[in-house]
Amino acid sequence: MHKYLTTLACAVLLQGHAWAADPVRREQVELVQGAPVKKLAGKIKGYATVEYSIAAPANGKFDIRLNSAHPSLYFNVSANGSDEAIFVGSRDGAHFHAGVTGATRYKVTVYLMRNAARKNQTASYQLDIGSGA
């Protein structure tokens, strides 16, 4: 019995990496109303994600457009502090647009769909982010 428990414990420890949290890179972005479109370029691999915390100025429009050659790369948008997405790229497309009444902070998460992530694929992308009146 002792040998069985030791073997089981070793197997669990060796599989520990599968339970580890996926890497998340976080970046802060500040937008100025009327400023040129901000271009954020990056690359992700596998289950890694990038979270941009974006401050959108009040009383304007807020746009995000994703450009990538990878067909399984998407982004989601949620209000800061909320886990519920107001925009889901895999369902809603590659362009998010919102009117902003007060100064608002959004969380934009760039990710690969599971079909590409489990194959540890890599995707390059560019997010064009702008705000205007």
Side-chain angles (χ1 to χ4, degrees):
M1 181 71 168
H2 178 68
K3 189 175 186 179
Y4 172 75
L5 290 176
T6 303
T7 303
L8 181 63
C10 288
V12 168
L13 289 174
L14 290 173
Q15 293 299 317
H17 67 84
W19 296 322
D22 297 319
V24 178
R25 188 176 83 229
R26 292 180 174 85
E27 294 186 23
Q28 300 278 333
V29 178
E30 302 293 324
L31 297 179
V32 177
Q33 192 164 346
V37 171
K38 203 169 261 221
K39 297 181 182 294
L40 305 174
K43 185 184 286 190
I44 60 173
K45 182 176 183 179
Y47 287 100
T49 59
V50 180
E51 286 183 3
Y52 295 100
S53 178
I54 302 173
N59 303 322
K61 296 176 183 166
F62 179 60
D63 286 289
I64 304 173
R65 187 170 303 275
L66 174 66
N67 299 299
S68 177
H70 200 290
S72 294
L73 183 79
Y74 295 100
F75 73 98
N76 293 348
V77 179
S78 59
N80 197 38
S82 173
D83 289 330
E84 186 176 337
I86 58 176
F87 176 88
V88 178
S90 61
R91 176 192 68 210
D92 301 326
H95 181 225
F96 170 76
H97 174 80
V100 180
T101 55
T104 306
R105 188 167 285 276
Y106 291 97
K107 179 173 76 172
V108 176
T109 306
V110 180
Y111 64 95
L112 280 168
M113 292 291 286
R114 185 173 180 267
N115 65 309
R118 73 172 180 244
K119 295 175 186 171
N120 209 31
Q121 293 181 357
T122 300
S124 297
Y125 67 90
Q126 179 176 302
L127 285 176
D128 295 337
I129 303 172
S131 65

